[in-house]
Structures are given as C-alpha cells and as structure tokens.
Amino acid sequence: MKRTRCFICIFVLLSVLLLAGCIATGIPAAPVSADTLFESRKTTPAIPGFSRTRTASLSAVGDILIHSKVYDSAKTNDGYDFVPLFEKVKPYLEKSDITIANSESIIGGAGIGLSSYPSFNSPFEVGDALKDSGVDVVSMANNHTLDRGIPAIENAINYWDELGMERTGSYLSAEERDQITLMTVNDISFSFLSYTYGTNGIPTPSGKDYLVNRIDKELIKSDLQQADEQSEVVVLSLHFGDEYQPLPNEYQTGLAEFAAENGADIILGHHPHVLQPPAWIETSDGRKVFVIYSLGNFLSGQNEIPRQIGTIFTIEAEKKIGPDSSEITIKNPSFTNTFVKNRDYSWFEIDLLKNVNPDLNEEVKSHLSTWINDLQFIE
C-alpha cells in the first residue's frame, strides 16, 4: 500500500514539472541587447553658451595707526584690549568673504617697548582685535614699517602668522618675498601685493630689501605679472600721496593707471589719512579696474575731523565659468562711512558716521561720488 502511494506521488510530481516546462517554453524571453548590459552612465551633454557664476566679496579699510592715547585707553590689568573699539563696525567687517586692513603702526609688542609718533610700535593685542572683528589680510608696507627696526618687524610677522592671518608688503627673507600672498574663496583666487613710497628717511638694512616693498615700477610690474599668473583677482595696496589732501595728485593717478595696465584689478590707496574719491580705470585690454586713492584713517589718535573719518569699502568679484573658459568682472563697489569717536582721549570707538553726524555723512558721500555717480552706500 505504501509502495503504491509512493508511485502515485512520483507520478504527480513529474507531471507538474513537465507541465511547467511546457508553459515556460511557450513564453518568449524579453530581448536584452549587449548595449543595455554594458553601457556606462552618460553625463549631461554641454549646453552651448551655458555658464555657472561664482561671486566673492572683498572689503578694505584704511590706516590702523595706534597713537599712545589710543593704546593707553585700551590698557587692562594684564595687557591691552582693543576689541571694544571695533564692536559697532564688526558686523560690516566680517560680512565680506575677505577683509583687508592697512596695519600702519607695526605690532612689535610691548616687550620691546611701545611707542607713538613719530616712531610707532603697537601692542600685539591690536592684531587680536583685527582678527576678532573679521580682518583676514593686513598690508604692512608703509612709511612706518622700519620705525623700530628688524626686531619689531620680526615680532609683528610672527604674531600675524600665529593668528593665522595673511600679510603682504613685509617679509623675513627674499624667498618669502618672492611668494605671492594668495587666498581662494568661492572658487575665486585672490592675490595681494603692497608697496610704499618710502620709510620716513630710514634706510632698509643692507641686503635686506625684503623687509619692506618700496614703490618701484619695474618691481611692481614683475610682481603683478607673477600674481596674475597665480590668481584671478589681483589686489594692490599702494602707500602714496600727499597727507591730508582730499584729492589724489598726478603721481597717484599715473601710478594707478600703470598698475591697472599691468594687471592690477583692485587698487587700495593709503597714507593721506583722509578720504580721497574712487574711480574706474579702463585698460587697453578692455578691463575695468577699481581704485580708491585713499581709504583714510580707520583707527588713529588724530583728532581733526577729516582725519577721524574713514570708510569700509566693499566690492565684488564675479566669475562666469563657461564650457571652455572663465571671465572675471569687478562690480558693485559700495561704502560704509565711519568715524573715530573719543572722550577726552581716554576712550575711543569706531562708529558709523551716520550715527555721529548725518549731515557730514551726506557730505562725505558726495565727496566719494566725485567721479562715480552711482556709488552705493550701505548703512
């Protein structure tokens, strides 16, 4: 009986298998091409004229010139604190992708003795405050670079490096001087160069020209060429002009045109201690270069009204990236005017000029707009 049941089960199973095979052979398999099996994923083809856009903003301020009354006002029990002086302008300084300042009085530190006009040496803590307020780069080539000699320069450079800030215009070796200061933000590369008309009659130590860049057209031309090869936007700081004069002289305008023709894209002027208006320079190769002939004082102990006025200059670099090339445009210059307040020279603070004197702020706007009617003012 058991054997009979076993045969029946085997018969049923074989019948099912045979039936399934017949059904399967009756349904044609879906065709599969070799191309479908081995084709790799294709990228989207380039669209003629298609481009991507990147934008980076740069801000710049003028002279940081720390007279004794300024550092005395910042004295604390264990050093100096300049951070409160920048509190009201910090939001404007840190808003840009890159901010550069002119460190006119060398920060050689209290260890070698602080000093004021005519031979400056400032506390390290000035650097701390600039870093805290959003400054990324300092220009070091100016008429006070050699005031306190090599020790002050070495101390200052080492401290800027310790803070992780970029610097240009003064160096510790010829090899370092030959290396262009570079920064890249938002896929746009910037280079920074800095030169001064002189050093108040103090000669550069023999064989140490790298301690400070002096204005020399051939040197500037060579450096601009190198910077242009390594970056897309070349920012040039020039310490030049006549002190306290509201307009640039012929030497300034001529040097700015020379620099623009040789590759500078943004030119920042320092030294007059008052604001001088900006201008666009159109070059023979079709570029538009922006120059501000003097950014004035951003922080100092000078007390005449024009010398207490400064500005925060901001501009954009726009990069359009096409299938085969890219193009840089410098655009949208704007200004936020500032004022150094003091109370009997025992307290200092940088404030917006509009908060101090709205009517004076309008006059300064008009002055800055001398050659550019559509300047923007951000307040």
Side-chain angles (χ1 to χ4, degrees):
M1 188 67 176
K2 290 181 179 178
R3 178 173 296 185
T4 302
R5 288 180 180 175
C6 182
F7 282 127
I8 294 173
C9 290
I10 292 171
F11 176 78
V12 171
L13 180 60
L14 290 173
S15 298
V16 171
L17 291 174
L18 288 170
L19 180 62
C22 292
I23 294 173
T25 56
I27 301 175
V32 179
S33 68
D35 289 342
T36 301
L37 288 174
F38 300 107
E39 181 182 26
S40 60
R41 182 174 297 177
K42 294 179 180 178
T43 57
T44 303
I47 302 173
F50 172 79
S51 67
R52 293 177 294 132
T53 300
R54 298 284 186 269
T55 303
S57 56
L58 172 87
S59 286
V61 299
D63 305 332
I64 309 293
L65 187 62
I66 309 300
H67 294 81
S68 58
K69 50 189 131 182
V70 179
Y71 61 69
D72 285 343
S73 74
K75 189 77 173 70
T76 65
N77 292 332
D78 58 355
Y80 296 86
D81 183 9
F82 296 89
V83 170
L85 282 66
F86 294 85
E87 183 176 351
K88 289 186 177 178
V89 294
K90 178 178 177 178
Y92 298 88
L93 295 175
E94 63 184 4
K95 185 163 53 176
S96 289
D97 296 305
I98 301 175
T99 298
I100 180 172
N102 180 40
S103 178
E104 182 149 7
S105 56
I106 197 99
I107 59 165
I112 61 173
L114 301 181
S115 55
S116 186
Y117 181 83
S119 183
F120 288 88
N121 181 49
S122 301
F124 288 139
E125 289 89 341
V126 173
D128 297 330
L130 291 175
K131 173 76 172 181
D132 176 79
S133 64
V135 175
D136 306 288
V137 187
V138 289
S139 170
M140 295 183 65
N142 59 73
N143 57 309
H144 292 291
T145 305
L146 296 177
D147 277 2
R148 295 293 302 274
I150 295 176
I153 293 174
E154 290 177 340
N155 287 356
I157 286 177
N158 289 332
Y159 199 73
W160 291 124
D161 290 351
E162 183 180 325
L163 290 174
M165 294 176 66
E166 300 295 336
R167 51 184 171 77
T168 182
S170 181
Y171 311 91
L172 296 181
S173 69
E175 292 75 19
E176 185 184 47
R177 200 220 76 86
D178 290 340
Q179 295 177 2
I180 303 295
T181 300
L182 301 169
M183 288 186 71
T184 298
V185 293
N186 300 340
D187 194 34
I188 301 177
S189 56
F190 291 76
S191 58
F192 299 89
L193 301 171
S194 174
Y195 307 82
T196 179
Y197 74 93
T199 53
N200 293 343
I202 303 173
T204 302
S206 178
K208 298 183 184 295
D209 289 345
Y210 53 80
L211 290 174
V212 59
N213 277 346
R214 296 177 184 269
I215 291 174
D216 175 279
K217 282 190 173 182
E218 289 307 309
L219 176 65
I220 292 175
K221 182 178 181 179
S222 175
D223 288 348
L224 284 171
Q225 181 178 357
Q226 185 180 351
D228 190 51
E229 292 171 353
Q230 297 182 27
S231 67
E232 295 163 304
V233 180
V234 181
V235 182
L236 173 66
S237 294
L238 293 173
H239 206 80
F240 63 172
D242 297 322
E243 290 186 315
Y244 319 127
Q245 298 305 305
L247 295 174
N249 58 34
E250 290 184 7
Y251 176 74
Q252 286 173 273
T253 58
L255 186 59
E257 290 171 1
F258 171 84
E261 284 291 342
N262 283 279
D265 295 297
I266 301 169
I267 302 172
L268 309 174
H270 308 285
H271 181 61
H273 301 298
V274 295
L275 292 176
Q276 293 181 343
W280 287 106
I281 300 174
E282 296 188 9
T283 64
S284 58
D285 62 358
R287 293 179 303 116
K288 289 187 69 175
V289 175
F290 193 87
V291 55
I292 169 73
Y293 287 101
S294 175
L295 285 161
N297 286 333
F298 194 62
L299 175 61
S300 82
Q302 295 185 331
N303 62 352
E304 295 82 355
I305 294 296
R307 306 180 200 181
Q308 292 173 261
I309 297 172
T311 196
I312 302 170
F313 159 60
T314 302
I315 199 164
E316 294 178 352
E318 181 184 76
K319 178 180 180 180
K320 289 187 177 180
I321 309 166
D324 303 312
S325 63
S326 62
E327 180 182 72
I328 293 287
T329 302
I330 305 301
K331 58 188 289 188
N332 297 334
S334 64
F335 292 85
T336 302
N337 299 327
T338 60
F339 190 86
V340 180
K341 299 190 297 187
N342 72 75
R343 189 182 300 127
D344 298 326
Y345 304 110
S346 61
W347 171 89
F348 287 81
E349 180 185 62
I350 311 169
D351 199 353
L352 298 189
L353 181 56
K354 70 162 190 172
N355 296 336
V356 178
N357 189 324
D359 292 337
L360 181 57
N361 187 43
E362 292 304 315
E363 292 179 21
V364 172
K365 288 181 182 180
S366 178
H367 175 59
L368 288 173
S369 302
T370 299
W371 297 311
I372 303 177
N373 295 326
D374 58 349
L375 275 184
Q376 300 177 53
F377 293 91
I378 300 175
E379 299 168 333

